[in-house]
Amino acid sequence: PAEHTERYRNKAVFNISSGSTGAFAGFYKGRTHEVIAIGDCLLQNEIFSKIARFTVSFFNDHGINAYNESTGKGSLRKIFLRSSRDNSGIILCMICARGLGDCTSLFVKETTEKFPEISGIVININKKSGNSVLGDKYYTLFGNPDIKDSLNGISFNISPASFYQVNPPQAEKLYNEA
């Protein structure tokens, strides 16, 4: 069994939706595309929820709307975060239907000041309808577009598009057993 059953996930994808007070981050309700707002998720890195809340708040304050699947209007679709096992690197990837416009530099400045743990900020443009999380175009706004991590002494560079185990300590146990 896993030693840790809380705070083990090194990846989170928050869906973004709009409500009466603006955009909010959350997860899909089972078998729907209805987003349920969350304050925190005990499975993922604790800082992820803080970064997601800050990002959505910034977007609300600067008039960048959540993407609406029905109308195709708005920009911010998802917030995707990855961290290295030792938290020496965190990537913030915003999946958007279009860019951030004039507030891009301000967003990078305020986000990196508030969260110095962030080693890279990437925007991914996804204009496709449907369930695909990531689009084909990536733009690095700050730092490195990937993080470094290791499993059983083998180092990996991990980008938002990379497949990588979400629970590295448990993955090592499984690999060693195999």
Side-chain angles (χ1 to χ4, degrees):
E3 283 181 45
H4 302 285
T5 57
E6 292 183 357
R7 305 286 183 205
Y8 64 85
R9 286 185 62 92
N10 61 10
K11 172 185 164 186
V13 179
F14 294 90
N15 300 297
I16 308 301
S17 190
S18 288
S20 60
T21 59
F24 62 90
F27 299 127
Y28 286 134
K29 181 178 177 180
R31 296 183 191 93
T32 74
H33 272 215
E34 178 186 349
V35 179
I36 305 299
I38 61 137
D40 192 16
C41 174
L42 293 177
L43 299 181
Q44 65 196 21
N45 189 325
E46 188 172 7
I47 197 169
F48 287 174
S49 295
K50 294 174 184 175
I51 294 170
R53 279 192 305 274
F54 176 83
T55 300
V56 170
S57 177
F58 180 94
F59 278 40
N60 281 331
D61 291 348
H62 291 85
I64 299 172
N65 298 320
Y67 179 76
N68 183 307
E69 286 184 10
S70 301
T71 66
K73 294 184 178 182
S75 183
L76 184 61
R77 296 176 73 138
K78 298 176 186 295
I79 297 171
F80 181 118
L81 292 145
R82 279 196 184 226
S83 64
S84 58
R85 192 178 332 193
D86 63 1
N87 281 336
S88 62
I90 294 176
I91 298 172
L92 165 58
C93 178
M94 294 160 301
I95 294 99
C96 298
R98 55 199 56 79
L100 305 181
D102 294 339
C103 66
T104 302
S105 296
L106 182 61
F107 174 76
V108 169
K109 179 182 182 298
E110 288 188 12
T111 304
T112 55
E113 285 175 358
K114 183 156 182 76
F115 301 101
E117 304 89 337
I118 293 176
S119 56
I121 299 176
V122 175
I123 189 167
N124 173 263
I125 304 298
N126 181 356
K127 296 182 180 187
K128 300 178 263 184
S129 61
N131 290 344
S132 65
V133 173
L134 296 168
D136 298 328
K137 294 182 180 175
Y138 295 85
Y139 300 94
T140 302
L141 304 180
F142 168 80
N144 296 312
D146 57 11
I147 55 173
K148 296 188 183 326
D149 209 357
S150 64
L151 284 174
N152 286 338
I154 301 171
S155 294
F156 297 92
N157 289 341
I158 308 157
S159 72
S162 300
F163 172 81
Y164 191 67
Q165 295 293 335
V166 297
N167 186 346
Q170 194 64 11
E172 283 182 330
K173 283 184 176 183
L174 292 171
Y175 293 156
N176 289 335
E177 186 68 24

